[in-house]
Amino acid sequence: MSNNSNKVLVPEAKEALNKFKMEAASEVGVNLKEGYNGDLTSKQAGSVGGQMVKKMIESYEQGMK
């Protein structure tokens, strides 16, 4: 049984998530292109993901105030 963890649960959010990813990549100095970015190093990909998580936590904390 296949479980696709990359499935977008809310299709309308896909564009917003891509924009968010591009912004996070820009903030950490990683040049992403539209579409496939499999040529990134693990360090680059990790820094983009880490920046996205950091921004999500900051947003959540601001909402708690």
Side-chain angles (χ1 to χ4, degrees), residues 1-47:
M1 184 178 277
S2 175
N3 182 12
N4 184 354
S5 63
N6 291 329
K7 181 177 179 185
V8 177
L9 297 177
V10 182
E12 298 81 18
K14 188 171 186 173
E15 185 176 330
L17 285 171
N18 282 333
K19 182 176 183 246
F20 181 55
K21 178 173 58 177
M22 296 299 251
E23 289 173 2
S26 176
E27 290 171 6
V28 294
V30 175
N31 293 320
L32 289 184
K33 55 189 174 290
E34 292 294 325
Y36 181 72
N37 283 285
D39 54 341
L40 294 179
T41 65
S42 295
K43 182 177 180 179
Q44 290 171 317
S47 64

Side-chain angles (χ1 to χ4, degrees), residues 53-65:
V53 170
K54 179 181 174 184
K55 290 177 64 120
M56 286 185 268
I57 291 170
E58 288 173 353
S59 176
Y60 179 78
E61 288 175 340
Q62 289 297 320
M64 292 178 60
K65 292 181 181 181

